[in-house]
Amino acid sequence: MRVGWLDAARGLGIVAIVIGHSYIPGQETEPLLVLLYSFHVPLFLFLAGLTFDPSKYRLARLLRRKGRTVVLPYFIWALVSIPVFVVLGTLAAEGLGRGARSFQLGDSLVGMLWSNPDGGAMKWNTPLWFLTALFTTQLVYWGLCWLMKGSLRQPWLILGASLVISWLSLAFLSPLDPPWSLERVGILLPFFALGSLVGPWALRIQGEGRRGWALLGGALMLGAAFGVAMANGPVDYVTKHFGSYGLFLLAASLGVAGVLLLALGLGESRLLRYLGGASLTILVLHKFPVVAAQVMIARTGFGGSSMDTLVIVAVAGMAMLASVAFHPLLRRCFPVSIGLSTPNRRGGPRAGKPASA
């Protein structure tokens, strides 16, 4: 059974992700982007944690299940993306004023296996780093739960351990380039752990009768997140720039709480729920229309400082529409590419949770 506000939260989250990827060079410090980058990746890890119950998995089942719903889509779309960018990447780089670049097939395949976007190793589709990072996060969290399974205060000990791992990862792993974004996994682990901790309680919440208060609370939380994010400065998950660690955690937590409250207030929105259900499709596909739009904007010079935010939102809207257009086709004809089971005898995909779950 799907939870309406959870799908709405995923929908709001994927909107934030795509808007955050839709700027052209020189727009990185737009206030809207500073706000969205402060929480959009922690939000998706928190949402994934909400529906992750480590007690349901033995290691073999966890590897098999998450390998099918998370890792397999990663490799499918990496193998789709690499040839496209080997052919068109140089043209796109020149159009965006980033200089001519040579995209080598061998280097791209190594980057696919290593799955860490440091140094432009995943320029062919940078957002895909999140999928292998999510898989690694699930494994690390499962391991923590297994190690601490005898403790009466297990959830809080795990959350505390995740905070220690986060700080150590930022201090010692962040300068490195480990496979499958292990340093980012460590830094962001507390959000997944917190989601799993509150999941059994949170998933029982219903928004009926409280929508107005939820919307007001969400707006206030996001306003507070904006203030903290602006004080902290821009965050970048690819370059691992987080500013002040304490301010980053605070801004991200406020942003996550704000989106959850908005989702409770907007839980009946069919649009947001559909976007949430199609979030993996949008994640893996939106890079292509975004780059095409960025090249066109850079060549025409359209925009200007007074229009930057409008241009970013317009590009994001176009990219989401283009990506969502493929969702029914992928769901019916190639469901494994978006983390769903293979078609059943009646021709439709078997029911399955999205990869973020």
Side-chain angles (χ1 to χ4, degrees):
M1 179 179 177
R2 301 193 71 93
V3 179
W5 66 261
L6 183 57
D7 275 338
R10 291 192 182 107
L12 290 169
I14 199 62
V15 169
I17 290 283
V18 178
I19 291 175
H21 292 165
S22 297
Y23 64 86
I24 60 175
Q27 295 178 325
E28 293 90 337
T29 58
E30 278 292 298
L32 175 62
L33 297 182
V34 172
L35 171 63
L36 297 182
Y37 266 84
S38 71
F39 70 80
H40 60 19
V41 173
L43 170 66
F44 265 102
L45 287 171
F46 178 88
L47 294 176
L50 280 178
T51 55
F52 186 83
D53 182 355
S55 66
K56 292 183 177 179
Y57 295 101
R58 292 183 178 272
L59 181 58
R61 182 170 182 260
L62 177 66
L63 292 171
R64 186 170 59 250
R65 172 70 182 271
K66 301 306 178 181
R68 176 180 62 81
T69 60
V70 180
V71 179
L72 181 58
Y74 166 78
F75 280 108
I76 288 172
W77 290 106
L79 290 171
V80 169
S81 303
I82 288 171
V84 173
F85 270 76
V86 166
V87 174
L88 301 177
T90 300
L91 177 63
E94 291 175 345
L96 290 172
R98 295 171 181 169
R101 299 185 60 174
S102 176
F103 289 84
Q104 300 296 327
L105 179 59
D107 292 341
S108 295
L109 291 174
V110 170
M112 175 187 71
L113 296 175
W114 199 252
S115 192
N116 191 313
D118 269 358
M122 295 178 65
K123 280 293 184 182
W124 31 268
N125 200 340
T126 304
L128 294 185
W129 74 265
F130 179 77
L131 294 179
T132 50
L134 174 60
F135 177 74
T136 309
T137 301
Q138 292 165 332
L139 289 181
V140 170
Y141 182 73
W142 182 89
L144 278 176
C145 292
W146 184 81
L147 288 172
M148 298 182 176
K149 59 186 177 182
S151 171
L152 293 176
R153 293 188 175 183
Q154 170 195 346
W156 299 106
L157 281 177
I158 292 172
L159 181 60
S162 73
L163 285 167
V164 173
I165 292 171
S166 175
W167 184 84
L168 292 174
S169 298
L170 184 62
F172 299 105
L173 280 182
S174 185
L176 305 179
D177 181 20
W180 290 36
S181 295
L182 185 60
E183 76 281 36
R184 296 176 185 84
V185 168
I187 293 168
L188 299 171
L189 183 62
F191 297 100
F192 187 89
L194 182 60
S196 184
L197 172 66
V198 303
W201 166 77
L203 294 177
R204 295 196 295 266
I205 295 176
Q206 302 295 326
E208 287 82 356
R210 312 172 192 173
R211 301 195 190 282
W213 287 108
L215 291 173
L216 177 60
L220 292 174
M221 285 288 187
L222 287 176
F226 177 74
V228 177
M230 292 300 290
N232 188 38
V235 167
D236 192 317
Y237 300 93
V238 172
T239 62
K240 293 172 287 191
H241 178 77
F242 297 97
S244 163
Y245 179 65
L247 290 178
F248 164 68
L249 289 181
L250 178 59
S253 299
L254 290 168
V256 169
V259 170
L260 293 177
L261 287 169
L262 289 183
L264 279 171
L266 300 170
E268 295 302 312
S269 168
R270 292 185 179 181
L271 174 60
L272 286 178
R273 292 171 68 171
Y274 186 80
L275 290 176
S279 57
L280 181 54
T281 300
I282 299 170
L283 176 71
V284 300
L285 287 180
H286 77 272
K287 173 80 172 182
F288 303 110
V290 163
V291 170
Q294 288 172 332
V295 170
M296 288 188 293
I297 291 170
R299 287 184 170 180
T300 60
F302 178 76
S305 59
S306 63
M307 299 180 64
D308 281 349
T309 301
L310 292 177
V311 171
I312 292 169
V313 172
V315 170
M318 178 277 299
M320 284 186 286
L321 284 174
S323 302
V324 165
F326 285 91
H327 183 65
L329 180 65
L330 293 174
R331 186 176 175 87
R332 175 173 290 274
C333 300
F334 200 12
V336 294
S337 71
I338 52 173
L340 299 176
S341 300
T342 53
N344 58 26
R345 293 180 180 178
R346 295 183 180 180
R350 294 191 184 99
K353 294 180 181 177
S356 59

